[in-house]
Amino acid sequence: MPGAWWRQLLSRFDPLPIPDPLWRRALVSCPLARRLDDARQHALRGLSAAFLARKRFHPLAGAVLDERIRLLIAMQACLPALEQGVRSLRGWRELLVYPGEFKVRRSHHDEHSGVVSEADDVLIGEAWERGPLILSLADVQLDLEQPWDGYNVVVHEMAHKFDMLDGPPDGVPLLPDGINRRDWIVAFQRAYDHLSNDVARGRETLIDPYAAESADEFFAVVSEMHWSQPGLLQRAEPCVAALLTAYYGPSSAPT
């Protein structure tokens, strides 16, 4: 009869399955998962179980996390991992959840004056390299209620996590053999430059102007669009849309 230490070791590789009633309730609340075909729903269920077994949820500042909301977060986190599999979830363990927006103290360096100042940034999500993923529960719930508005904070932060698997985020995640790295870099750089140019000139853009902040934010923002507004992304940047379909698999959003 194996001891407790052996059962714990086995559980790392064989996560507890998600009970049927809990899974069905979560599907009702998560349109992005509900619209997947049966095969991808089955894969998502397995990935979500692995996510729940490997990640530690920490509710902060009074946030309340029941088993349903933990599963809903796991489902949205694993949705963009469907093609790359469980290995894409590696490299971090902690998930911090605030009730709503949270503040992060940052140092800002003025390149012209050389002055370093500190200020609080108000965020709804953040991903640290080799560190935690941080979420606003209010925004997670809003994304579940408004799944096709182009935004999804969990997908956004998971895109950063994928981007960080090979080092500091640069907008180029670890790519599967079927995607040429040079093709990715050329297409994304061209799209990023185009958006940055339009934002600098005050033009209206189909892609959220926040994506012009940096190459890694561009990747995260268009990842959100792939899952929640793929038609708009296709209109804005068809080459980027095609590469994201190859990387993430087809979007479950209505067309």
Side-chain angles (χ1 to χ4, degrees):
M1 190 77 174
W5 70 271
W6 181 243
R7 288 195 298 272
Q8 289 177 352
L9 181 62
L10 287 177
S11 69
R12 293 175 57 190
F13 301 96
D14 186 22
L16 292 175
I18 298 168
D20 286 340
L22 177 59
W23 177 252
R24 288 194 296 268
R25 280 196 296 128
L27 276 180
V28 169
S29 300
C30 188
L32 279 74
R34 189 171 66 241
R35 289 179 55 86
L36 295 171
D37 59 40
D38 289 346
R40 297 182 84 204
Q41 271 192 17
H42 179 76
L44 180 64
R45 187 170 179 174
L47 279 174
S48 298
F51 187 94
L52 291 169
R54 295 177 180 208
K55 309 303 181 187
R56 291 179 176 176
F57 285 72
H58 301 277
L60 303 175
V64 178
L65 300 179
D66 59 19
E67 63 176 2
R68 174 180 162 276
I69 194 64
R70 289 171 190 254
L71 175 55
L72 286 167
I73 291 173
M75 290 164 70
Q76 292 177 90
C78 293
L79 191 69
L82 280 171
E83 291 298 311
Q84 311 310 319
V86 72
R87 282 181 54 80
S88 64
L89 304 177
R90 71 187 186 275
W92 60 283
R93 191 171 184 184
E94 312 299 325
L95 201 152
L96 314 182
V97 183
Y98 286 90
E101 295 176 340
F102 53 93
K103 294 180 180 179
V104 175
R105 177 58 59 98
R106 299 195 193 282
S107 295
H108 298 272
H109 177 251
D110 188 315
E111 294 182 358
H112 299 290
S113 67
V115 175
V116 177
S117 60
E118 289 192 344
D120 289 331
D121 286 346
V122 179
L123 306 175
I124 63 171
E126 188 171 42
W128 296 4
E129 186 180 355
R130 299 291 172 182
L133 185 149
I134 312 171
L135 297 170
S136 156
L137 182 56
D139 288 273
V140 171
Q141 293 171 327
L142 180 63
D143 292 335
L144 291 168
E145 295 166 5
Q146 300 176 7
W148 317 124
D149 65 355
Y151 300 98
N152 188 290
V153 65
V154 181
V155 169
H156 183 107
E157 301 307 334
M158 286 302 297
H160 284 314
K161 282 297 188 184
F162 299 150
D163 197 356
M164 295 172 183
L165 284 173
D166 59 350
D170 58 2
V172 187
L174 284 174
L175 298 172
D177 291 341
I179 300 178
N180 182 277
R181 181 179 174 85
R182 176 173 173 76
D183 290 345
W184 180 285
I185 292 172
V186 169
F188 272 75
Q189 187 65 54
R190 183 180 295 126
Y192 173 68
D193 290 344
H194 180 230
L195 177 68
S196 299
N197 184 61
D198 283 348
V199 170
R201 284 163 173 72
R203 298 170 182 161
E204 291 191 9
T205 61
L206 296 177
I207 297 173
D208 188 337
Y210 180 67
E213 289 285 318
S214 60
D216 59 297
E217 291 297 350
F218 182 86
F219 169 56
V221 168
V222 294
S223 294
E224 294 179 84
M225 293 183 71
H226 170 79
W227 289 105
S228 58
Q229 272 189 342
L232 193 62
L233 179 60
Q234 174 67 29
R235 283 173 53 199
E237 293 292 346
C239 291
V240 166
L243 285 166
L244 289 178
T245 297
Y247 180 73
Y248 288 128
S251 175
S252 55
T255 57

